[in-house]
Amino acid sequence: MSLTGRVRNNVNGVLIDVEGTALAIQRFVNEIGSHPPPLSQIDSIECKENLPPAGYPDFLILESSSAGDRALPVSADFGTCGECVRELFDQRNRRYRYPFINCTNCGPRFTIVEDVPYDRARTTMRHFKMCHECRTEYEDPLDRRFHAEPIACATCGPRIYLRDHGQELRGADVISYAQELLRAGKILAIKGIGGYHLACDARSNEAVNRLRQRKYREDKPFALMGRTIDVVRQHCSVSEVEAKVLLSSNRPIVLLERKAGCSLPESIAPNVKTLGFMLPYAPLHYLLMEKMADPLVMTSANVSDEPICYSDEDARLRLANIADYFLFHDREINIRTDDSVVRVFDEKAVMVRRSRGYAPAPVRTSFSVSRPILACGAELKSTFCLARDHYAYLSHHIGDLENFETLMSFKEGISHFQQLYGIEPELVAYDLHPDYLSTKYAQALDGPEKIGVQHHHAHIASCMADNAIDGEVIGIAMDGLGFGLDGKLWGGEFLLADFMTAERVAHLSYMPLAGGAKAVREPWRLAAVYLHQAFGNGCTLLKLDFNSRLTPRKWASLRSMVAAGVNSPETSSMGRLFDAMAGLLCLRDTVNYEGQAAIELESIADHDVKEFYEFLISGSEISALTVIKGVVRDLLDGVSHAEISGKFHLSVANLILRMAQRIKAEHGLNRVALSGGVFQNMLLLKHVCALLRAAGFEVFTHRRVPTNDGGISLGQVAVANARANSGRCH
Ligand code: ZN
Ligand code: ZN
Ligand code: FE
């Protein structure tokens, strides 16, 4: 556009100083807004006009100064762009079949960055010296690879190699050999962008089962990678929005409804109606998937609940008994980042696990964070969050903070983020649960002021921040377990909330969590507790399948444990009520992964039932015993499990409607914020949103951050900030 001037990165973003005709400048500004560079994220464009002319003779890109300029977000890792894919399979291109092709619009970022400002010398690409041709592209402002820091080619860049448990397999073409092994039913550990995957042929029931056995992963669904969206469509129904998310450069795993005729083995995702699919996002994936008509299982490479492997040595050690072969490459991964998981609800992408492709891009907040905050999150599915100004830098998915390795990732992640963004927290927010490792970490910090935030207040605040709203809302937190203000385990909570406070208006009546942590793994325990509370000692005489499976000895020990109050903390958890339901229907006596009982209860539910059971509300107490009685009556009458499950979902939705209406009548509020792990249940969420909207409520659900505990740290930021601003930290 014949403009002259300068462009540079500064603390606030990108500063462009241009001179030219008013018309050209206007067109230029419009163009930036309407056709931004593919990976840019434009929060706002601010223009200052009529500055004194500087008389620039040319247009230059200036180096960014590093000191104090750390607010600039490091980009997330992005899937290979269309142009790079074309070059990858173009015989005439010099990067033909090169597994690390990338450009300014695609490729790894966050996972290779060691420090800021972002340039090659501070990434794990610093070990590779650019060849002349790459250097020329890198320095040419008109080239697509201008300042693409991970630029590489077969001459100068990283390479792949295949090993068995002994040594490198030389000679054969690595890709075609790997494909052959996969077709032969072998399990391969494949190094990717944020860590290793374990891959096998998804068509082979035998290979999938072998992977399950070796990984000690009984039932938790495996993610799949399909070569193209058409492959995905063979197995799942894919809506327009879902297709868009699958194809987006974030490249998450998308949870999709499995088609009725889906011919893939049930063992990929036992007793679940959805499959998690992703499309290739690294050039290596494109090469591997070439000519593959069937999807591959591509699951995080770990044993059971350990964090995903990301270093070569770690992979060799920990995956020795799982993988038959290793597909390595020599580009180091600096930080372990799992695949993200997204599902579509209400025509919108909803984050289930926010990680690779999204982190560490900040969540823009509607409130201003005056003093830098570190929020330590919760325990399961943990994330942390650093915040300053209008940005919440939510971490990638760290995992369950229960083993040493995950705790190390948590600590290292926090110092890495602090360094990347130059944030020295003045406030630290943490969960009130005294035993969470994140809580202990926060309390041991020296210096920053500490602010404890109740778990469900954090959930609701997270939902509000996610939707960029503030003020007072009806906060409905339906959750697993979270530490309550009375020291009990909350999880079925109706709150009157803003960022400052959360008043508990009503909750599910307390039930003994017989066996403590064991009760979470064994849903039959809660089923037995509810049954006993509803029917007394005579409950064992009810002609239920559930009873016939429970030995008198088990009954007796459970009852005496509860009576003596031994290892039976009280809980108002809605998640546990879902467990109890699954237990009563004999879907599950024990679970093999978090939420399994509720997921299976949802997957058998009849979606079209109209009847439901009534909860009994008296004052602030909500009793589920009437629901349990209704369910037992239906079971004795031979009503199908599908219908009972459907009725139960509708019951909870109607309870939420009734409570919202009551709070509205008393407090005049019309906005409802829904949060907590239970709302991962799509059938429940669908019912709740429909009922509330039909009754005229304005309903807010999660979108940018997960409704599960992965979103807690954002809520903690919002609450800590509000309290700090008001001077009320405790
Ligand atoms: Zn590209
Ligand atoms: Zn090169
Ligand atoms: Fe929670």
Side-chain angles (χ1 to χ4, degrees):
M1 292 172 188
S2 305
L3 297 169
T4 58
R6 305 285 181 261
V7 57
R8 68 182 303 170
N9 291 328
N10 81 358
V11 219
N12 301 311
V14 181
L15 186 69
I16 308 171
D17 188 3
V18 284
E19 293 184 344
T21 66
L23 191 68
I25 293 179
Q26 195 49 53
R27 270 181 54 212
F28 172 69
V29 173
N30 291 344
E31 194 69 11
I32 288 180
S34 58
H35 295 97
L39 293 191
S40 65
Q41 184 194 320
I42 299 184
D43 291 325
S44 65
I45 300 179
E46 284 157 37
C47 296
K48 256 191 203 168
E49 291 173 58
N50 302 324
L51 299 170
Y56 295 121
D58 49 10
F59 189 88
L60 287 180
I61 300 164
L62 302 182
E63 294 269 319
S64 47
S65 59
S66 68
D69 280 8
R70 298 195 165 199
L72 269 186
V74 171
S75 161
D77 305 274
F78 287 106
T80 310
C81 73
E83 276 171 290
C84 284
V85 173
R86 267 193 298 283
E87 290 181 357
L88 182 63
F89 293 107
D90 176 2
Q91 286 194 40
R92 290 156 311 175
N93 193 280
R94 71 183 194 91
R95 292 191 180 83
Y96 175 59
R97 300 189 74 82
Y98 179 57
F100 300 92
I101 187 171
N102 67 80
C103 72
T104 331
N105 300 330
C106 74
R109 297 286 186 279
F110 174 60
T111 51
I112 59 166
V113 171
E114 296 169 323
D115 199 357
V116 282
Y118 173 58
D119 59 31
R120 188 166 173 115
R122 279 169 281 253
T123 70
T124 59
M125 280 302 290
R126 70 192 153 87
H127 306 291
F128 302 93
K129 195 174 174 301
M130 271 180 235
C131 69
H132 176 72
E133 278 173 291
C134 284
R135 158 96 30 211
T136 309
E137 294 167 335
Y138 181 82
E139 288 173 352
D140 177 3
L142 296 180
D143 194 280
R144 202 170 90 244
R145 297 194 168 84
F146 176 62
H147 272 268
E149 306 302 342
I151 189 173
C153 72
T155 313
C156 67
R159 62 177 200 104
I160 51 170
Y161 55 104
L162 196 63
R163 290 177 76 124
D164 57 18
H165 290 281
Q167 51 197 312
E168 186 178 337
L169 309 173
R170 292 182 187 273
D173 170 57
V174 169
I175 296 289
S176 40
Y177 193 23
Q179 288 178 326
E180 223 171 276
L181 291 168
L182 287 165
R183 281 197 200 97
K186 301 292 183 199
I187 295 168
L188 265 64
I190 299 173
K191 188 174 180 182
I193 299 293
Y196 278 81
H197 282 120
L198 286 165
C200 73
D201 180 4
R203 181 67 73 184
S204 161
N205 190 35
E206 200 234 316
V208 174
N209 278 322
R210 194 154 5 98
L211 181 56
R212 282 208 178 278
Q213 278 162 16
R214 293 189 190 169
K215 226 170 114 72
Y216 298 111
R217 179 150 157 166
E218 289 99 336
D219 298 311
K220 198 172 177 183
F222 285 144
L224 300 168
M225 185 179 277
R227 190 175 65 82
T228 62
I229 196 145
D230 291 328
V231 172
V232 180
R233 284 209 161 98
Q234 285 169 19
H235 307 288
C236 293
S237 48
V238 182
S239 73
E240 221 168 287
V241 185
E242 285 163 340
K244 229 169 117 184
V245 182
L246 276 168
L247 290 162
S248 71
S249 53
N250 314 91
R251 282 293 202 267
I253 295 168
V254 183
L255 300 180
L256 302 165
E257 186 101 357
R258 194 198 291 229
K259 273 189 183 166
C262 170
S263 55
L264 294 173
E266 172 74 12
S267 54
I268 292 170
N271 307 321
V272 182
K273 275 179 151 173
T274 54
L275 288 175
F277 256 110
M278 58 186 153
L279 294 175
Y281 58 82
L284 178 57
H285 300 151
Y286 281 96
L287 294 170
L288 262 181
M289 302 298 298
E290 198 193 8
K291 297 184 193 127
M292 289 257 193
D294 290 323
L296 289 179
V297 165
M298 286 283 257
T299 179
S300 301
N302 54 6
V303 185
S304 175
D305 292 325
E306 288 175 10
I308 182 174
C309 290
Y310 73 111
S311 80
D312 299 353
E313 198 191 284
D314 189 31
R316 263 201 294 267
L317 277 172
R318 282 204 286 150
L319 305 178
N321 297 321
I322 305 178
D324 297 309
Y325 294 88
F326 295 85
L327 182 48
F328 284 117
H329 63 67
D330 54 1
R331 184 175 70 200
E332 276 171 50
I333 298 169
N334 186 59
I335 193 155
R336 142 195 307 139
T337 313
D338 295 78
D339 292 321
S340 293
V341 182
V342 167
R343 70 189 313 162
V344 171
F345 178 74
D346 257 2
E347 304 282 289
K348 285 191 197 82
V350 179
M351 216 55 74
V352 177
R353 180 166 77 196
R354 188 181 184 275
S355 211
R356 190 217 8 99
Y358 297 95
V363 173
R364 200 174 151 83
T365 58
S366 57
F367 50 86
S368 173
V369 179
S370 39
R371 296 166 67 196
I373 300 174
L374 165 66
C376 296
E379 174 112 322
L380 297 177
K381 303 181 163 71
S382 103
T383 61
F384 60 83
C385 186
L386 279 165
R388 182 176 56 197
D389 306 326
H390 276 283
Y391 293 103
Y393 299 96
L394 192 71
S395 79
H396 50 304
H397 166 82
I398 305 284
D400 300 348
L401 283 184
E402 52 194 9
N403 64 52
F404 178 73
E405 273 221 60
T406 328
L407 183 64
M408 290 308 290
S409 308
F410 175 74
K411 291 180 178 173
E412 286 163 11
I414 290 175
S415 48
H416 188 54
F417 268 62
Q418 288 192 15
Q419 189 181 352
L420 289 188
Y421 296 111
I423 297 178
E424 198 53 59
E426 291 176 27
L427 305 168
V428 170
Y430 61 92
D431 194 275
L432 294 181
H433 201 305
D435 298 333
Y436 281 180
L437 293 177
S438 59
T439 304
K440 290 179 179 168
Y441 169 86
Q443 283 168 339
L445 286 179
D446 219 6
E449 196 174 328
K450 299 179 179 87
I451 302 179
V453 181
Q454 199 277 322
H455 189 90
H456 302 102
H457 186 196
H459 266 306
I460 299 303
S462 172
C463 178
M464 293 169 67
D466 193 339
N467 287 281
I469 59 166
D470 56 16
E472 243 186 333
V473 298
I474 301 170
I476 300 179
M478 295 294 135
D479 203 19
L481 301 171
F483 201 79
L485 292 175
D486 56 2
K488 294 175 182 176
L489 296 170
W490 295 7
E493 313 301 316
F494 294 87
L495 307 170
L496 206 59
D498 57 18
F499 284 141
M500 280 289 292
T501 54
E503 185 194 328
R504 193 186 199 199
V505 180
H507 59 90
L508 270 190
S509 296
Y510 286 124
M511 281 286 146
L513 190 62
K518 241 186 176 171
V520 180
R521 288 191 300 272
E522 301 179 8
W524 70 265
R525 290 169 178 269
L526 259 295
V529 164
Y530 267 110
L531 206 56
H532 187 248
Q533 296 260 354
F535 294 94
N537 286 342
C539 68
T540 51
L541 302 173
L542 294 166
K543 294 232 169 327
L544 298 174
D545 281 353
F546 178 78
N547 273 333
S548 63
R549 292 153 68 108
L550 216 55
T551 62
R553 208 169 55 89
K554 261 184 160 177
W555 261 118
S557 84
L558 185 98
R559 227 177 282 169
S560 64
M561 181 190 264
V562 170
V566 177
N567 201 10
S568 300
E570 289 186 288
T571 183
S572 56
S573 165
M574 180 58 84
R576 297 291 83 80
L577 180 59
F578 271 80
D579 283 359
M581 282 302 306
L584 273 183
L585 299 190
C586 299
L587 292 176
R588 286 252 133 227
D589 290 338
T590 61
V591 297
N592 297 319
Y593 60 91
E594 202 214 345
Q596 185 180 16
I599 290 169
E600 293 182 1
L601 186 67
E602 178 188 358
S603 74
I604 63 156
D606 181 340
H607 287 212
D608 302 320
V609 299
K610 298 282 175 285
E611 281 173 63
F612 56 91
Y613 315 106
E614 292 276 2
F615 284 82
L616 190 69
I617 306 171
S618 58
S620 64
E621 295 269 326
I622 301 160
S623 168
L625 297 182
T626 44
V627 174
I628 298 294
K629 284 179 181 157
V631 170
V632 168
R633 202 181 318 112
D634 277 351
L635 279 171
L636 295 174
D637 287 349
V639 177
S640 77
H641 287 186
E643 191 177 337
I644 294 176
S645 172
K647 281 170 79 173
F648 175 71
H649 280 82
L650 201 53
S651 313
V652 177
N654 271 284
L655 166 69
I656 289 171
L657 172 66
R658 269 168 77 195
M659 290 309 303
Q661 281 171 327
R662 204 183 90 177
I663 298 171
K664 179 181 185 167
E666 283 171 24
H667 302 276
L669 295 172
N670 196 49
R671 297 185 304 172
V672 182
L674 306 173
S675 189
V678 170
F679 286 117
Q680 292 176 105
N681 184 314
M682 288 293 120
L683 176 58
L684 177 68
L685 192 61
K686 196 180 84 182
H687 281 327
V688 170
C689 288
L691 287 174
L692 287 174
R693 286 187 183 130
F697 286 97
E698 204 180 341
V699 185
F700 296 92
T701 58
H702 279 279
R703 220 156 32 84
R704 297 184 291 172
V705 304
T707 189
N708 60 44
D709 284 7
I712 285 281
S713 57
L714 177 65
Q716 291 173 338
V717 162
V719 174
N721 184 57
R723 291 202 184 145
N725 286 343
S726 73
R728 276 179 50 189
C729 287
H730 303 287

